[in-house]
Amino acid sequence: MLEKIQQLINEVNALKATSAEELESLRLKYLSKKGAINDLMADFRNVPAEQKREVGQKLNELKTLAQDKINSLKEAFEAQKAVAEKPDLTRTAYPVELGTRHPLNIVKNEIIEIFSRLGFVLADGPEVEDDWHVFSAMNFAEDHPARDMQDTFFVEAHPDIILRTHTSSVQSRVMEVTQPPIRIICPGRVYRNEAISYRAHCFFHQVEALYVDRNVSFTDLKQVLLSFAQQMFGPDTKIRLRPSYFPFTEPSAEMDISCNICGGKGCAFCKGTGWVEILGCGMVHPNVLELNGINSKEYTGFALGMGIERITNLKYQVKDLRMFSENDVRFLKEFEAAN
Ligand code: DAH
């Protein structure tokens, strides 16, 4: 038995293979269930007790040797294969297709840029908010009907936790930790429980602006609005303010711009009026200042909020709101030039 083992050890030591198939047949010959080494293992039962130790050791030596040998031959083959398959570094590059920025991002960036030139800095807050920051701190009374103006998504089992329905919550987030002067611009996603159609979605995007300091007046608001409208829609754009109501501003207004599709002559988009509404605004309600730790006797402020989808529609006439969230690359490609 010992001689047989030794003979196999010699054989294994001398093994060579020139192809993967050959290597596999060697593995089968020595290491498989029906291979030579397993045959010897079976014979081991018949070895007399006093020789078992020596024969056992030799047998193990053979087995390890055979495994090592086959493995090292296999590695050598794989290394050869890797060299053969190495990429051709002299080939010219693939044409790399550039992506395009999302239209809502293009417009959002433009709005931010315009407001930053006026000294506003970026601020943000969470989309999953509490009732306080979205409603109470913005002067919506507990049973105020204005809370129904917005269809809110509540987090089940936590009625106090909601998805923010407007970016006005960021006003409160900033004011509670900052004393004036405050001049912020806050873009972000908001959620409302609406059935999805071509003109409504359960999430959309807004930009909020807030300016609080000593002696901030409605005149400042009006100038900022005019400057924004003309930079966004062209120097001939006109604005008009209509009285409105929001719990967090007093007085409140809605701003229309002269329809930039027909230039104010009247078309389907502006329903023949020559004007389109683009944002809500007003002087920050003294209650809002006080609720957020700012002295309303010393400071005044203005705020405004607009929907990014609406501004984008005006600029690019996207007829179906759902296009913004479907990410059809053919739609996104249309904005290549605007990038
Ligand atoms: N939060 C209002 C909305 O979602 C928009 C708005 C109106 C924001 C007036 C303001 C504002 O800051 O002053 O409809």
Side-chain angles (χ1 to χ4, degrees), residues 150 165-168 171 192 206 208-209 246 248-249 253 279-282 303-306:
Q150 299 167 339
T165 55
H166 56 179
T167 43
S168 301
Q171 288 191 29
R192 290 186 198 172
Q206 289 187 334
E208 191 86 9
F246 301 103
F248 35 92
T249 43
L279 55 78
C281 61
L304 58 99
M306 68 187 109

Side-chain angles (χ1 to χ4, degrees), residues 1 7 18 33 51 80 85 88 91 103 112-113 117-118 137-138 175 199 219 237 249 260 272 274 277 279 307:
M1 177 103 176
Q7 188 195 333
T18 52
K33 261 204 182 121
Q51 283 180 30
Q80 258 177 29
E85 285 172 2
D88 174 5
R91 268 177 72 154
I112 294 173
E113 221 168 86
R117 285 199 289 272
L118 294 168
M138 296 311 289
M175 282 192 275
R199 51 193 221 114
T219 317
T237 308
T249 43
N260 87 319
E277 181 197 319
L279 55 78

Side-chain angles (χ1 to χ4, degrees), residues 178-199:
T178 324
Q179 281 301 306
I182 294 171
R183 219 183 294 168
I184 50 160
I185 174 102
C186 339
R189 182 171 288 181
V190 300
Y191 301 83
R192 290 186 198 172
N193 194 355
E194 307 236 12
I196 297 172
S197 72
Y198 74 99
R199 51 193 221 114

